[in-house]
Amino acid sequence: MANLNPDLLEALRRAATDAANDKITFYVNSGWRSPAYQNQLLREAVSTYGSEKEAARWVATAATSFHVKGEAVDIGPPDAAAWLSEHGAAYGLCQIYRNETWHYELRPEAIDHGCPSMYADPTQDPRMRK
């Protein structure tokens, strides 16, 4: 959990505690990533998906990754991500991309207003066009 935004970490802790009451266990499968590791993931995605354009649907560049900024986490197992999808707004935790059911970011305004509409995938997110 090193290098994560402290507010994100606190929201995750609160959500995980409440999820445990529902017999759901959270795992942060991926939190903060170094730029070098993010670039490695992107190279692997290009190899897997056959092009940078297709890889961008799944893996951001180090310059745009919210994992590198410490502002995103990937949650597992699937039942934990499903629990967070249903209850996350109460903690300000929102799924950002429809194609990444495991990827969550902190949106404090969601506590009062609900999570924003999801992007289909990262290529639709204007923050990725830096």
Side-chain angles (χ1 to χ4, degrees):
M1 302 292 207
N3 299 320
L4 278 185
N5 172 306
D7 294 332
L8 171 60
L9 185 55
E10 178 58 30
L12 285 167
R13 286 182 174 146
R14 287 193 325 269
T17 297
D18 290 348
N21 293 332
D22 291 337
K23 309 234 184 301
I24 302 291
T25 302
F26 276 31
Y27 297 103
V28 175
N29 292 330
S30 185
W32 176 81
R33 299 175 186 158
S34 71
Y37 182 58
Q38 187 68 31
N39 284 332
Q40 175 188 335
L41 291 174
L42 183 56
R43 284 191 306 274
E44 290 170 1
V46 169
S47 178
T48 297
Y49 297 109
S51 71
E52 287 184 20
K53 182 178 179 180
E54 188 60 23
R57 294 185 61 234
W58 302 99
V59 180
T61 66
T64 60
S65 172
F66 282 81
H67 284 280
V68 171
K69 295 172 185 171
E71 297 177 2
V73 292
D74 293 346
I75 297 294
D79 64 334
W83 187 95
L84 204 53
S85 177
E86 184 176 342
H87 302 284
Y91 307 90
L93 297 168
C94 296
Q95 181 184 338
I96 303 301
Y97 308 116
R98 278 194 300 275
N99 73 324
E100 294 186 8
T101 58
W102 54 86
H103 180 97
Y104 283 82
E105 297 177 18
L106 184 64
R107 297 287 188 275
E109 65 279 3
I111 295 169
D112 294 323
H113 304 289
C115 289
S117 296
M118 285 184 259
Y119 299 106
D121 62 52
T123 65
Q124 305 300 308
D125 185 343
R127 302 173 304 165
M128 297 296 128
R129 297 184 189 119
K130 294 179 180 178

